[in-house]
Amino acid sequence: MIHSIYSNKDVFLRELISNASDALDKLRLEALRGTELRADTSDLHIEIEVDKEHRTLTVRDNGIGMTHDEVVGLIGTIAKSGTAEFLRELKESKDAAASQDLIGQFGVGFYSGFMVADRVTLVTRHATETRGTRWESTGEGTYTIEELDEAPQGTSVILRLKPEDTEDSLFDYTSPWKIKEIVKRYSDFITWPIRMATESTNADANANATTDADPEADKSEDEAGEKAGEKAGDEPRLETLNSMKALWARSRDEVSDDEYHEFYKHISHDWNNPLETIRMQAEGTFEYQALLFIPSQAPLDLFMRERKRGVQLYVKRVFIMDDCEELMPEYLRFVKGVVDAQDLSLNVSRETLQQDRQIQLMRRRLVKKVLSTVKDMMSENAERYATFWKEFGRAVKEGLLDDFENRDAILEISSFASTHDPERPTTLRQYLDRMKDGQQHIYYMTGESRSIIESSPHMEAFREKGYEVLLLTDPIDEMWVGSVPEFDGKQFQSIAKGQVDLDTEEEKKEGEAEREQQKKDFAELLSWMTTTLSEQVKEVRLSSRLTTSPACVVGDTHDVTPQLENMFRAMGQDMPQIKRILELNPTHPLVTGLREAHGADPNAAGLAETAELIHGMAVLAEGGELSDPARFIKLMADRLQHTL
């Protein structure tokens, strides 16, 4: 399982340190909340211990620790049965995305140790308890677990290392230089000191005189220090391996992209690099710093109700909470990062956050910064923007329903499929640039798929006259188009609602006499069909949007669409039946034939059934559902039989 997730064995130490850092954050938070603890919080730290003789590596923290039940739940369950389930999900997804929701759990990160160890032992004691737990496994699907009368505060993970095998990228993880290299590369930003016992030698001191020393230089100097230490018999000393500098507090030119990427992976438990890094620093009466990331891939739980969302909140570099929802709206729930405020109370709670004026101000600025960053991405890196919209567009459009302040900004960064290009989506700004002279509306149609919309009778006149139509197929599209009136002065207009008039003023004048004559010719048929189909439709009228189909069904301007009606019913809402309008194509042979038959004998047998069939075909043509499919099939079969 672990080899299915990780390609670089060095990251095992990053994962164990990340777990330890989380445990220290949680202990500090419980202490701030006044929880009764059996723990010393005066010197919270992470310690790495090497035993060359027995080839063991220990990562120890004095953080929150785990209870016996937590050990079983977070680690034992995965060891016993979670591996098979995990691999099944991974296989079904055909890529690494299936493991994304598991990577953040302690168990999977913890199990990365089996890449380099043939036996892993865990000793832990929760900060509120006196007894501890010892867990051990060789990673072959079984484990042992026992309670301990005594155990040190926090958690210790002891790895019995496999033999070194450089051909398999399995290095000597008892070597101080290798450990320093990994910590510097992956965990330098951790806010807690990471300590390791090293030989106190001149060579060792020189090796640590600079923080950005070359790893190969570190290696040779450390090896020299180890030999000198053996000769001189110097006593080991604890050395802090990480700078503990918060990346969000450092200037941009002091931090490399690799450091930002590793920090993102630490806080998000994602192994992909972020798509975009966003820095913010507010000064003045209210000061805060923010380091935000837009992922390159949507998490599996993006649309799950039980998901966690929000960014990490710090106050004066003290960790407060992991998922502060108040700082980021629901539609930007994929944004990860850290916000460090200078003027909040350390004991701030989720309840007080909802009412805090400073939090609301921070949220407004963070949202505007994220949206403006995406807008810049549109113009500066179209490929990166395309990735963003593909992964997160459905979520972003949710903001059109409830974020009225930023509605225009959201519309600016939105893309939609359209009839202009079969492959590439269009922005609304691009749509406006291509609009015909005199066009007053942004035309759109909602539906289950592009193919269904494109084959709809509603598209016929728009296709013939060359009008571009947005093809909206996301479920959220059914919701927002009804509440967003316009973009940059141009109103949104559904081609499946209300009256459609695409003729120019000159065409209207030329066709006025013909239309008036059609109204007279079809008046009796329309009145009769409206009465005959009164259970299904509210009106039957002539259409100006059809060119080849005999009929179509449309909604009134403010009617709920059939798709939205079905969505509401699926959510358990009681929806009254909404009757729609049946439009007839006055030039289609079927319609003109029906008019002639009705004019010859209004009571002729079969006329009412023909009207039913025309209505049923119109419903099916737009992908709708018939109220009585069996009756429709019978009428159709009978009518076909008479043609043979």
Side-chain angles (χ1 to χ4, degrees), residues 66-80 122 124 133 135 143 145-146:
M66 288 183 283
T67 65
H68 181 277
D69 290 343
E70 287 174 335
V71 172
V72 173
L74 294 173
I75 302 174
T77 302
I78 294 177
K80 186 175 181 181
L122 176 137
T124 184
T133 302
W135 180 98
Y143 64 91
I145 190 168
E146 61 178 317

Side-chain angles (χ1 to χ4, degrees), residues 212 393 461:
D212 297 318

Side-chain angles (χ1 to χ4, degrees), residues 150-378:
E150 293 184 0
Q153 170 186 332
T155 300
S156 297
V157 180
I158 305 102
L159 308 177
R160 190 178 73 183
L161 297 170
K162 298 176 182 178
E164 182 179 0
D165 184 357
T166 53
E167 292 185 1
D168 191 33
S169 299
L170 186 61
F171 301 105
D172 181 9
Y173 295 108
T174 66
S175 173
W177 76 265
K178 183 62 178 176
I179 293 173
K180 291 178 184 179
E181 176 197 1
I182 296 173
V183 171
K184 183 67 179 175
R185 179 183 303 168
Y186 294 116
S187 307
D188 190 60
F189 50 79
I190 295 292
T191 54
W192 307 104
I194 303 171
R195 299 170 183 163
M196 183 174 68
T198 59
E199 301 292 343
S200 179
T201 65
N202 291 332
D204 189 51
N206 292 335
N208 294 284
T210 60
T211 58
D212 297 318
D214 179 71
E216 290 301 315
D218 282 348
K219 176 180 179 181
S220 60
E221 290 172 346
D222 279 324
E223 288 175 344
E226 290 171 34
K227 294 178 181 178
E230 291 172 4
K231 292 179 180 179
D234 288 334
E235 289 295 324
R237 65 181 177 84
L238 283 177
E239 177 187 347
T240 300
L241 306 183
N242 59 324
S243 68
M244 294 180 288
K245 291 182 179 179
L247 261 65
W248 59 87
R250 295 160 63 181
S251 63
R252 178 64 183 90
D253 55 6
E254 291 181 0
V255 185
S256 68
D257 288 340
D258 286 343
E259 288 179 293
Y260 281 133
H261 294 171
E262 289 306 324
F263 180 74
Y264 163 75
K265 293 173 184 177
H266 167 67
I267 62 173
S268 68
H269 300 291
D270 186 5
W271 58 85
N272 298 307
N273 289 335
L275 186 68
E276 194 70 39
T277 301
I278 304 172
R279 287 179 50 89
M280 285 186 68
Q281 183 161 341
E283 298 178 345
T285 55
F286 181 48
E287 297 184 3
Y288 64 91
Q289 297 162 318
L291 180 59
L292 305 177
F293 300 94
I294 298 176
S296 57
Q297 185 175 345
L300 289 178
D301 64 353
L302 184 63
F303 295 100
M304 294 182 184
R305 185 173 298 178
E306 299 79 12
R307 67 186 175 272
K308 287 186 177 181
R309 69 176 180 88
V311 297
Q312 292 185 354
L313 175 62
Y314 283 71
V315 174
K316 299 184 180 72
R317 302 194 190 178
V318 174
F319 175 79
I320 300 299
M321 64 182 65
D322 201 27
D323 47 351
C324 183
E325 298 180 356
E326 289 73 21
L327 285 172
M328 201 60 62
E330 177 78 10
Y331 70 92
L332 295 179
R333 55 187 173 274
F334 51 86
V335 174
K336 305 295 182 183
V338 167
V339 176
D340 189 354
Q342 305 302 310
D343 304 309
L344 291 176
S345 169
L346 286 175
N347 61 357
V348 65
S349 67
R350 292 190 184 274
E351 291 72 27
T352 57
L353 280 177
Q354 295 176 359
Q355 309 299 327
D356 193 283
R357 186 187 66 82
Q358 293 179 336
I359 287 289
Q360 298 304 315
L361 179 62
M362 288 167 58
R363 173 185 169 120
R364 292 179 62 188
R365 292 178 178 174
L366 292 171
V367 170
K368 290 184 181 299
K369 181 65 175 179
V370 171
L371 297 179
S372 66
T373 299
V374 176
K375 186 177 180 180
D376 292 341
M377 197 191 303
M378 291 179 70

